Amino acid sequence: MEIVVSNKTSRPLYEQISTQVRAQIMSGELKAGDPLPSIRSLARSLQISVLTVQKAYDLLQTDGFIETTAGKGCFVSAQNQDFYLEEQQKKIEEHFTEAIEIARTSGISLDKMLNLLTLLYEED
């Protein structure tokens, strides 16, 4: 598992860690049951506070991505992918609803919206 953090971004370090772990889980790079590095070892390798890694792991556990077993460590949860995809879909629906309201009040047609969505989605 490779994690890279930067102090040059406005995102907190714990968010950078949790986002990268989530991405690795969603991509299949980390699979259900895979162990995560211990909090101390990850903090040492990233040269950051143990509390920062603990906060990232707490967030991942709260969101259902990892499970912690006392004395054994943290492991990728088996039920994370469906939960995560559902949450992401809800966020997308909220953004689409807002965009549709703006388009309707601005007189932008559905065809133009579809073209814009396609263009943005396929953009590198």
Side-chain angles (χ1 to χ4, degrees), residues 4-62:
V4 179
V5 294
S6 171
N7 289 327
K8 296 178 182 177
T9 179
S10 62
R11 292 184 56 218
L13 295 173
Y14 76 91
E15 274 186 23
Q16 293 177 47
I17 295 167
S18 65
T19 299
Q20 290 177 53
V21 171
R22 285 175 199 223
Q24 290 178 31
I25 291 170
M26 295 308 299
S27 72
E29 189 176 330
L30 289 174
K31 299 184 183 345
D34 284 352
L36 296 180
S38 73
I39 292 170
R40 285 190 180 128
S41 69
L42 184 58
R44 191 172 33 255
S45 70
L46 296 175
Q47 298 179 341
I48 60 174
S49 167
V50 170
L51 295 175
T52 301
V53 176
Q54 177 69 52
K55 190 169 183 178
Y57 278 21
D58 287 346
L59 183 60
L60 289 164
Q61 184 167 349
T62 299

